[in-house]
Amino acid sequence: MKISLITNIPTPYRDTQFALMKKKYPSLVIYFTGDNRENRLWDTNKKDYYVFLKKVFSIGKFGQLNYGLLNIVKNNDVLVIGGYEQPSYMLLILLAKLYKVPTILMFDGVAPSRIASCKSSVKYLLKKFLIRNFSVIFGNGTVSKKYFTECFGVDENKIFNQFLSVDQARFKEHIDRKDAIKNSCREQHAVDLKSKVILYSGRFIERKRVLDLIDAIGLVVLSDYNINIKLLLIGDNNEASIALYKNRCKEKSVDCLFLGFIQKEELHQYYFCSDLLVLPSLDEPWGLVVNEAVYSQLPIVASNDVGSAMDLVEDGVNGYIFERENIEDLSEKIILTLNLDIDIKNNKCSELTEFWNFSASLEDLQKAIQYISIKKEIPYE
């Protein structure tokens, strides 16, 4: 069976996912419609089964139309398409329908707030038309299932879990040395071993609401709990954002350390160094830093607009979910999370690690293809 996957850009967190897919389906080719990596600083390893499609033209923020789409459709038994919003994706969906080639929508997630307002969008009817033309959905987590069933009336039997993840190995191989790595990291950065370290890892953009986090920690510092807190900020080197955050930290008496961008090979050290991860975002379709925290046995506080929180954060067990943009609620959830039972938290993280990984992702992709075969759209192998 010939299968190809078409997505936008190469990303390091998919290396393991794509490698497992290639091992199961040796004919797999992965096509990229762009290669600019959206100005991200991460490193990616190009594989011999990666193909970068040439551009015909771009349509601003909507992406570009690429050459070679008809040949991709004609030369495959199944197509996995990484979305429906780009011109190339739209044309692939229509061509696949014309040539009776089954299609799988690979969908990473959607911010929970978008589910309630999905039908008010002027683009809703176009989205509905395109989504209805996919054979099955390879969506990520509970948030994706809710989105497609509640917004577009997709049969839940046609929705399979992508289990979007990160490479667990780089956390798992060091977890037994977690305490030693924590002590070494804190010594390197002159962080008191008795301090409670709160980690933010992500881009320094407005919708990530880093200022909300600083303000919430400021409230904790002013509380009667006598907690000595250090805030670690990992992200890009956006000088304007850093200046803004430094000023706010000074204003709120928050002790903060800016670490810049950290490549994936070193990232585990800072999760092990920390006592809590906070993701205060608005409009966060998934949030892979939550996966990373789980694999590090690190508790999490996430806003209710973070897609992954529905599956990977259980209130009072391995963290808490707070109301987005509610600084008082965030500060309260930080205090509660810092006092979670360590053994219960670790057990929950271990449980999640066992079933939320790329092996589970591959299994559900196989189920999706089997579903298509049962519907007699393709011969199944």
Side-chain angles (χ1 to χ4, degrees), residues 48 51 71 94 101 107 117 140 143 162-163 173 176 178 203 215 220 232 241 248 278 292 295 337 351 374 378:
D48 57 4
V51 175
N71 285 336
L94 297 176
V101 176
F107 188 80
S117 61
N140 197 35
V143 70
Q162 187 191 161
F163 290 101
E173 66 179 315
D176 290 339
K178 180 178 179 180
R203 299 171 72 189
D215 290 349
V220 176
L232 297 188
S241 295
R248 185 64 69 90
V278 178
E292 292 173 332
Y295 302 150
T337 303
E351 174 191 322
I374 291 171
I378 58 165

Side-chain angles (χ1 to χ4, degrees), residues 12-37:
Y13 59 84
R14 288 205 189 276
D15 285 347
T16 301
Q17 183 184 30
F18 289 166
L20 287 173
M21 291 171 64
K22 179 66 175 178
K23 185 175 181 180
K24 176 62 183 177
Y25 301 104
S27 67
L28 176 70
V29 178
I30 297 174
Y31 295 94
F32 297 100
T33 60
D35 62 358
N36 61 10
R37 298 181 179 88

Side-chain angles (χ1 to χ4, degrees), residues 209 211-223 225 252 280 301 320-336:
R209 308 298 296 183
L211 290 176
D212 287 357
L213 172 57
I214 295 170
D215 290 349
I217 294 174
L219 290 180
V220 176
V221 170
L222 291 173
S223 71
Y225 289 93
K252 298 295 180 179
V301 173
Y320 282 91
I321 298 172
F322 75 96
E323 182 184 357
R324 65 179 198 161
E325 299 182 280
N326 187 329
I327 294 167
E328 291 77 12
D329 191 27
L330 174 53
S331 67
E332 291 173 7
K333 296 300 168 54
I334 287 172
I335 293 169
L336 287 171

Side-chain angles (χ1 to χ4, degrees), residues 218-273:
L219 290 180
V220 176
V221 170
L222 291 173
S223 71
D224 296 328
Y225 289 93
N226 194 29
I227 303 173
N228 186 24
I229 290 179
K230 184 83 169 186
L231 173 61
L232 297 188
L233 291 178
I234 293 176
D236 52 42
N237 294 307
N238 184 316
E239 292 183 6
S241 295
I242 291 173
L244 175 64
Y245 299 157
K246 281 184 175 179
N247 288 335
R248 185 64 69 90
C249 285
K250 184 177 181 180
E251 179 186 325
K252 298 295 180 179
S253 301
V254 173
D255 186 9
C256 185
L257 178 61
F258 290 83
L259 295 169
F261 184 82
I262 306 294
Q263 291 291 354
K264 63 180 181 179
E265 292 79 11
E266 301 175 16
L267 200 53
H268 67 278
Q269 301 176 41
Y270 298 97
Y271 281 87
F272 292 171
C273 182

